[in-house]
Amino acid sequence: MATVDLTAETFMTTIESNDIVLVDWWAAWCGPCRMFAPVFEKASEEHSDVVFGKVDTEAEQALAAQAQISSIPTLMIFRQGVLLFSQPGALPAAALEDIISQAKALDMEKVREEIAEQQNEINSYREMYYE
């Protein structure tokens, strides 16, 4: 599968309607972005079960600001709508392959349970200190 361009209009729909989505935040003037692009493209061809999206931070400045992108390239990985990974910097092919494999192997039921536990802890602290 080739990469797809994501915009403010398509970003959330893409994240929510696909099992695994990798997002490359980039800009044309960014040297490391240009170096990472072929690695990202090759991985997209090897993993047809994963959506590989690209967000041009120059064209989608509001979306980049909303996602708190402060350095590019930044790679994000979503699985079932949950942000699992967010890291600036160009990754070598082997490292990208490794994190894709890890995302595929995750037990998302367990991840959701952990998220719920953390949210319960946060709510408990709020009740204790703010009410």
Side-chain angles (χ1 to χ4, degrees):
M1 169 183 243
T3 60
V4 295
D5 292 328
L6 298 177
T7 65
E9 292 77 29
T10 63
F11 186 83
M12 286 308 297
T13 303
T14 302
I15 300 302
E16 293 169 351
S17 62
N18 292 283
D19 185 41
I20 300 176
V21 180
L22 275 72
V23 181
D24 175 21
W25 300 82
W26 68 282
W29 53 262
C30 168
C33 298
R34 290 192 306 270
M35 289 174 41
F36 181 60
V39 173
F40 194 74
E41 185 71 33
K42 185 170 188 270
S44 77
E45 294 165 2
E46 294 172 358
H47 296 277
S48 60
D49 57 332
V50 175
V51 174
F52 287 76
K54 295 180 71 69
V55 177
D56 179 348
T57 57
E58 289 295 309
E60 297 293 333
Q61 292 181 16
L63 181 58
Q66 186 177 13
Q68 300 178 346
I69 302 300
S70 60
S71 181
I72 53 173
T74 290
L75 177 67
M76 290 182 171
I77 300 177
F78 295 86
R79 175 129 185 240
Q80 297 176 4
V82 176
L83 177 63
L84 301 175
F85 179 89
S86 179
Q87 179 177 307
L91 293 174
L96 180 58
E97 188 63 35
D98 182 49
I99 60 172
I100 293 169
S101 296
Q102 289 182 49
K104 287 181 176 183
L106 274 176
D107 178 348
M108 288 307 292
E109 187 173 317
K110 185 173 181 178
V111 169
R112 290 190 190 287
E113 288 172 5
E114 290 174 9
I115 291 170
E117 287 174 16
Q118 290 175 2
Q119 190 60 51
N120 288 337
E121 286 180 27
I122 291 169
N123 291 340
S124 294
Y125 287 126
R126 283 187 180 144
E127 290 173 8
M128 195 175 347
Y129 292 107
Y130 297 109
E131 293 181 5

